[in-house]
Structure formats: structure tokens, C-alpha cells
């Protein structure tokens, strides 16, 4: 064994030998010499580590070129999101409206009046880009924007409750995906958490007993991603606002998703709007830009003028600010809300969520023969009813009736390995196709499939891949 391996190693070409090839010289022009040398070195090292190796310089060169092509692909590749989750955090949440994309592109190419008062010719404030729009759409006195809603909550807590107490119901001490836990954010913000009530029931008297001279704020948190049912009690925002006003402490309402319009008009469950939260008397309301609102990642804080002014004076604001590209996209997105009647046609998030089950089912029937042919006889493909989710913690219990394709291994009770091999192969396509495996079927929810032609063209590459059945 050792002898054969060392013979093979001796037969490996040198880096210089590989670099002399004509193909490699072409690659140098395209990728640059350092990248090509590194790829050849990596390829040789892999060959050496694997013991038996292709020995021709040409073979090594071809492998190095393949490596360079792979490295050339973007790490942020577009994918077909067929998971059924419209606002998928791991897939980048909201798709932007065309108007927002155009606005962002203009801002990228040009110098823009980001913090510049064109009337007076002196320094301005970047919040001005969206301030009036936000006030108009929410009924708030003033508004400011930061990197995301987590940053919004952090800034509010640090500004109003550093070295003081922040009062929250035990029923609202949420964790939103791994690292965002309300008690930890409080800690980092320098606020002392005062929990009131119990997990399922919090009464007004619990808040009354907790408010004192050290209170910095009362926080109400929208329990976005879970629901407590049964023997429950919470103090409504309006009642809490009255209490906070009487005791002269600010009430902050973290809405999370925070929609700007009544989603009921698109057939979804009514989610409290930012306007309602302001009307209920919250002094500040925080919400996300890239959840139900359908814009780029951002965090909004809207509410009372003097409190917004304090937030803007906090040096942390600078560390949490957003850039001109996203501000441009945000402004364009918010403007779409001035005409709610055309929102479903202009804003992808709303359009996708409002898409009817019949429409999606028709798409599934069109895609069925194409996919069935591509995956071959070993699989049984059928149109299936399914339920989409909004995602990003918005309306967690809301299942939006949808349709898609179900792919099962033919004749197998389970076929788990074959199915997961197929889903891997589909994720390795030029535009990876991401579905989900449920009850021994690979499910593609077609709610978010816009580009059917592109989807079909992309599937052509599946022929080139190893047939997953070989793994069975
Ligand atoms: C999602 C969410 C956040 C965090 O918002 P990001 O924009 O993801 O940073 C904070 N609070 C609530 C209630 C949320 O639902």
C-alpha cells in the first residue's frame, strides 16, 4: 500500500509544470496569477492527501479550473425559496419592490443628499429621508431609523432605562431566534429587568406594584413567535398606557413585525398595526423593516418627539445607524403604502402572501410534468395541498392555504436516504432549489415561485447530476 501510494505521489506534476499549460495561462488572465497558483497548489495538496492521484499536469489543471469556477460563484447565491415560508430569515426575508431596488441602485451609483440640507447647504439628518413618511403612515409625532428592530429595542432600553428598571410581563420575555433574548438585551443595555406577573397571567396590579422611582420604562412586547392559550390574562396596551401616563413613565411597545396596514384586506388575520399601537397610547413603538413591511433590513422607532430626541442624542445611535442604500430602498417601500390599493401588485411580500391557493395550484399542475420527468421513474410526484407560513415570527399560528408538489420515493415505505439525496441534488443546481422534507415526502410549496421559465431551465442541469437512486 505505502509503496503504491508513494509511487503515485512521485508522479504528481510540479506547480510550475501545471502553470505552463495553455488553459492555465488563460485562467491567469481571467482570475489573476495569485488565485490560479493557489488553486493549483490546493488541487495538488488534495491529490497528495488522497494518496492515489491523477498524474497528468492537464488533469490537475482541469481540476484547478473547476475549483476556480466554484470560487467565482457568489456566496450569496439566489435560490428558489419553495419552503413555504414567505419571510424566511435564513433566506434573507422580504424581497424588495422594484421601486425600492431602483432607488437603492441610484443611491449606490451617486452621491446623495443623505445628511445634507439642500435648502441651506449645511449638514442635515439622515432620519429626515423617511421621517415624514413614517409619521404620516403611523400617526406618530416623530421617528428614527436604525439597523434592525433588535437595535431599535437596544437603543430604546439603553437610552431610557440604563441604570434604571425596565418592567416587563413574564408572559412577554421572549426569545427570537437564538441570540435575541429580551432579558439578555436588557442586561447589555444596562437596564435592570423587573419581571411582573406570571407566564400565563399578568394583571394591572402587578405593574402598579412594580412602578417606582427607579423605573425607566414599561415595555410591552408583541409575543411574535408563540402564543399562550387557555387561562391567560394580559394588560392591554391602552390600559397600560393610561397607567404609565398617570405614573409618568414611558410605555414602549415592541411590535416586532409591525405592519402598516390592516392585513385583513388580503385575507390574513388582523395583526396590530403601528398606527393602532400609537393610537392606544404607547410613547414609543419599535418594529422591523424586513418582516411584514416588506422592505430592507431596518428597525424603526416612532413616537413622542422628546423621547425620539433623546434617542438621537445617544452615541449608540451612530453605531446602529443604517446606510444610504437601505435608506433609499426604505423610502421607496414606505411610499408604496400611500396607495394601499396597489400594494398587492407592487410589494412582493404582500403579493406573495395574498396569492390565492387556486393560482398556486395551477402553477403546481404546470410544473408537475416537468419535475416528474426530471426526477425520473423512481419518484412519484403529485400536486398537494399545503400551508404556507408568513415567517420571521409574524402570525405564527396563521397557516395560509397553499399548494405545491410532493415528491415521494416510488414503492418505498420511507425512502429517507434517497429523498435526502434528491433534495441535496436539487440544492446543488445552479440556482439551488430549497424545499422541505415532511412525512417522507419532499414538499415544494410553490407560493413563492415567480419565475417558472427560469425554474424549468434551471432543472435541466439535474440531468448532469448523479441519479439519487444510485444511493438506494
Ligand atoms: C423580530 C422581532 C425582533 C427583532 O427584529 P429584527 O428586525 O429581526 O432585528 C424584536 N422584537 C420582536 C417582538 C420581534 O418579533
Amino acid at each position: 500500500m505505502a509503496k503504491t501510494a508513494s509511487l503515485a505521489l512521485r508522479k504528481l506534476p510540479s506547480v510550475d509544470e501545471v502553470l505552463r499549460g495553455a488553459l492555465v495561462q488563460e485562467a491567469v488572465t481571467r482570475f489573476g496569477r495569485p488565485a490560479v497558483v493557489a488553486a493549483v497548489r490546493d488541487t495538488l495538496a488534495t491529490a497528495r492527501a488522497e494518496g492515489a492521484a491523477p498524474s497528468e499536469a492537464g488533469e490537475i489543471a482541469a481540476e484547478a479550473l473547476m475549483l476556480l469556477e466554484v470560487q467565482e460563484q457568489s456566496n450569496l447565491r439566489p435560490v428558489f425559496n419553495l419552503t413555504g415560508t414567505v419571510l424566511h430569515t435564513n433566506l434573507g426575508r422580504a424581497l424588495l419592490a422594484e421601486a425600492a431596488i431602483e432607488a437603492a441602485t441610484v443611491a449606490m451609483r451617486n452621491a446623495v443628499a443623505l445628511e445634507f440640507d439642500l435648502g441651506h447647504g449645511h449638514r442635515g439628518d439622515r432620519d429626515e429621508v423617511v421621517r415624514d413618511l413614517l409619521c404620516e403612515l403611523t400617526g406618530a409625532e416623530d421617528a428614527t431609523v436604525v439597523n434592525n428592530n433588535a437595535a431599535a429595542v437596544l437603543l430604546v432600553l439603553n437610552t431610557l432605562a440604563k441604570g434604571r428598571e425596565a418592567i416587563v410581563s413574564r408572559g412577554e420575555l421572549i426569545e427570537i431566534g437564538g441570540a435575541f433574548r429580551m432579558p439578555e438585551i436588557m442586561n447589555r443595555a444596562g437596564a435592570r429587568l423587573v419581571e411582573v406577573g406570571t407566564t400565563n397571567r399578568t394583571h394591572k396590579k402587578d405593574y402598579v406594584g412594580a412602578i417606582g422611582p427607579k423605573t425607566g420604562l414599561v415595555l410591552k412586547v408583541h409575543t411574535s413567535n408563540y402564543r399562550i392559550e387557555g387561562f391567560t390574562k394580559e394588560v392591554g396596551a391602552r390600559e397600560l398606557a393610561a397607567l404609565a401616563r398617570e405614573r409618568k413613565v414611558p410605555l414602549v411597545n415592541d411590535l416586532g413585525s409591525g405592519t402598516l396596514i390592516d392585513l385583513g384586506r388580503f385575507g390574513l388575520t388582523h395583526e396590530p398595526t403601528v398606527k393602532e399601537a400609537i393610537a392606544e397610547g404607547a410613547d414609543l413603538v419599535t418594529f422591523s423593516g424586513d418582516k411584514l413591511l416588506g422592505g430592507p433590513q431596518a428597525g424603526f422607532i416612532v413616537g413622542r418627539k422628546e423621547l425620539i430626541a433623546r434617542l438621537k442624542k445617544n452615541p449608540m445611535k451612530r453605531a446602529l445607524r443604517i446606510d444610504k442604500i437601505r435608506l433609499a430602498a426604505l423610502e421607496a417601500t414606505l411610499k408604496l403604502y400611500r396607495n394601499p390599493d396597489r400594494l398587492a401588485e407592487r410589494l412582493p411580500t404582500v403579493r406573495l402572501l395574498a396569492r390565492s391557493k387556486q393560482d398556486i395550484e395551477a402553477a403546481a399542475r404546470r410544473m408537475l410534468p416537468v419535475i416528474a420527468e426530471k426526477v425520473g421513474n423512481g419518484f412519484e410526484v403529485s400536486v398537494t395541498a399545503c400551508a404556507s407560513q408568513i415567517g420571521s415570527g409574524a402570525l405564527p399560528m396563521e397557516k395560509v392555504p397553499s399548494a405545491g408538489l410532493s415528491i415521494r420515493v416510488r414503492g418505498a415505505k420511507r425512502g429517507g436516504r434517497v429523498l435526502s439525496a434528491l433534495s441535496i441534488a436539487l440544492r446543488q443546481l445552479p440556482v439551488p432549489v430549497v424545499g422541505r422534507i415532511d412525512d417522507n415526502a419532499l414538499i415544494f410549496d410553490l407560493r413563492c415561485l415567480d419565475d417558472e421559465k427560469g425554474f424549468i431551465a434551471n432543472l435541466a442541469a439535474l440531468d448532469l447530476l448523479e441519479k439519487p437512486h444510485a444511493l438506494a
Side-chain angles (χ1 to χ4, degrees), residues 68-77 429-430:
L68 285 162
E69 292 289 354
V70 170
Q71 290 170 347
E72 191 70 357
Q73 283 182 342
S74 167
N75 288 328
L76 264 185
R77 273 156 76 196
L429 286 171

Side-chain angles (χ1 to χ4, degrees), residues 146-156 180 185 254 287-288 298-299 320:
V146 287
N147 179 58
N148 57 11
N149 191 34
V153 174
L154 180 68
L155 182 65
V156 167
F180 188 84
I185 294 283
D254 175 21
F287 56 105
S288 274
L320 304 175

Side-chain angles (χ1 to χ4, degrees), residues 87 130-140 142-145 222 255-266 268-279 285-296 298-303 329-341 343 347 349-350 353 394-395:
L87 297 168
V130 289
R131 201 193 75 99
D132 288 351
L133 264 169
L134 281 167
C135 293
E136 176 192 318
L137 294 167
T138 64
D142 205 352
T144 184
V145 191
H222 184 45
L255 273 189
S257 216
T259 149
L260 294 174
I261 44 156
D262 178 9
L263 292 172
R265 58 188 288 160
F266 304 110
L268 297 165
T269 302
H270 178 81
E271 175 81 336
T273 66
V274 181
K275 200 172 206 150
E276 286 164 3
I278 288 290
V285 178
T286 60
F287 56 105
S288 274
D290 56 351
K291 293 188 182 172
L292 279 174
L293 196 135
F300 300 100
I301 310 163
V302 302
L330 267 185
E331 185 194 17
T333 307
L334 291 172
K335 278 190 175 151
L336 299 179
Y337 279 92
R338 300 182 85 183
N339 187 355
D341 292 339
L343 207 55
L347 194 68
T349 299
V350 170
L353 285 173
L395 299 171

